[in-house]
């Protein structure tokens, strides 16, 4: 049995668990509660997105600061006519 087969088996099992969860949610949890849970999931994902956006901005700022720092190390040579 190869690693690829094992990964496929795990993906299939995860898919089955997801289907079971969806069926259980549909049967056990009222529609209004599911709507609130879905909205909460969306808000959590938006929170993660905000964290990623902030991390990207910090990286970009670090890159621009490095470029400024590197340009400050350049020596100016006067040119005579």
């Amino acid at each position: 049995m190869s690693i690829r087969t094992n990964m496929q088996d795990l993906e299939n099992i995860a898919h089955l668990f997801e289907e079971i969860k969806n069926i259980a949610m549909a049967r056990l949890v009222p529609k209004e509660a599911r709507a609130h849970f879905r909205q909460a999931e969306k808000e959590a994902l938006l929170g993660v997105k905000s964290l990623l956006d902030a991390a990207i901005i910090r990286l970009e700022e670090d890159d621009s600061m490095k470029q400024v720092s590197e340009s400050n190390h350049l020596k100016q040579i006067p040119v005579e006519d």
Side-chain angles (χ1 to χ4, degrees):
M1 192 179 281
S2 71
I3 292 174
R4 186 173 188 80
T5 303
N6 289 336
M7 287 302 295
Q8 185 62 45
D9 289 344
L10 290 174
E11 289 174 8
N12 290 338
I13 291 169
H15 181 69
L16 288 173
F17 278 121
E18 182 73 19
E19 287 183 27
I20 292 168
K21 180 199 78 153
N22 290 339
I23 291 168
M25 285 288 285
R27 290 185 181 171
L28 301 174
V29 179
K31 184 178 179 180
E32 295 81 15
R34 286 195 310 266
H36 286 293
F37 292 142
R38 182 158 174 81
Q39 187 63 32
E41 182 180 12
K42 178 182 175 183
E43 290 298 324
L45 290 171
L46 287 171
V48 171
K49 180 181 180 284
S50 295
L51 291 172
L52 291 172
D53 289 342
I56 290 169
I57 289 170
R58 279 195 308 272
L59 286 173
E60 290 171 345
E61 288 172 350
D62 287 348
D63 287 344
S64 66
M65 290 302 291
K66 285 180 185 176
Q67 289 174 353
V68 168
S69 176
E70 289 172 359
S71 68
N72 288 341
H73 287 77
L74 298 178
K75 183 178 178 183
Q76 286 189 339
I77 302 173
V79 178
E80 297 179 10
D81 290 330

